[in-house]
Amino acid sequence: GAVVSQHPSRVICKSGTSVKIECRSLDFQATTMFWYRQFPKQSLMLMATSNEGSKATYEQGVEKDKFLINHASLTLSTLTVTSAHPEDSSFYICSARDSGGAWNEQFFGPGTRLTVL
Amino acid sequence: AQKITQTQPGMFVQEKEAVTLDCTYDTSDPSYGLFWYKQPSSGEMIFLIYQGSYDQQNATEGRYSLNFQKARKSANLVISASQLGDSAMYFCAMREGLGRTGNQFYFGTGTSLTVIP
């Protein structure tokens, strides 16, 4: 099946610093990618929908200035957590749809565990 | 209203027995898809099974089957012959607008399944 990678898989940073997380579709083109956040023992919460070549669509309550999303190519979307604070510590997961694939296909990355000290 | 409801926070099953994980959904869109994902402790989301709202028959994938009861808006996952490796979190999800692009997934709160040797 199609593969989505995320980098890094785990990151620890100091409060106030910025962290960039990459999401790549390795063997398909993805015009749309999704970013989720998952707190321990909770469900995945959609943060934003990333569209190639245009601005991301953020869900209500998600600060667009804090969580910067860039989808510059058909295979790469990045999420930058700016001025991270301990409450931003979470598991961040991206998913991508194959632009030429079936409607029911959506592939998830392995996730990035962010810890802000 | 919750789009996806999973009422079982935790379930236990004896190895080699079958188990049913409950999922109900809420939508007014006649076109939708229902999904089940497995999330082991590593965090990756593993796709298990898909059911389209217009599918006449219940979906099956190996030991997984989806008991789709459209009138009751339920999409329960049945795992037959449970194995120790089935121990994980299980998420039910829905995507509305069959065939339309960009629509998000709605996830339930998950069920933690533990298989007992």
Side-chain angles (χ1 to χ4, degrees), chain A residues 83-99:
Chain A
S83 186
H85 291 285
E87 57 266 29
D88 298 323
S89 298
S90 187
F91 192 58
Y92 292 86
I93 305 175
C94 72
S95 70
R97 287 196 62 248
D98 185 342
S99 305

Side-chain angles (χ1 to χ4, degrees), chain A residues 54-108:
Chain A
S54 64
K55 291 183 178 180
T57 304
Y58 290 82
E59 294 300 299
Q60 193 172 9
V62 178
E63 300 174 58
K64 59 181 67 177
D65 294 332
K66 181 170 184 62
F67 298 99
L68 302 178
I69 291 172
N70 184 285
H71 194 157
S73 77
L74 287 171
T75 59
L76 174 64
S77 176
T78 60
L79 168 68
T80 301
V81 183
T82 62
S83 186
H85 291 285
E87 57 266 29
D88 298 323
S89 298
S90 187
F91 192 58
Y92 292 86
I93 305 175
C94 72
S95 70
R97 287 196 62 248
D98 185 342
S99 305
W103 179 87
N104 59 314
E105 289 184 330
Q106 182 161 191
F107 305 99
F108 285 84

Side-chain angles (χ1 to χ4, degrees), chain B residues 53-67:
Chain B
S53 59
Y54 296 120
D55 293 343
Q56 295 294 317
Q57 295 191 340
N58 287 345
T60 60
E61 289 285 350
R63 295 186 298 111
Y64 304 108
S65 60
L66 199 151
N67 185 359

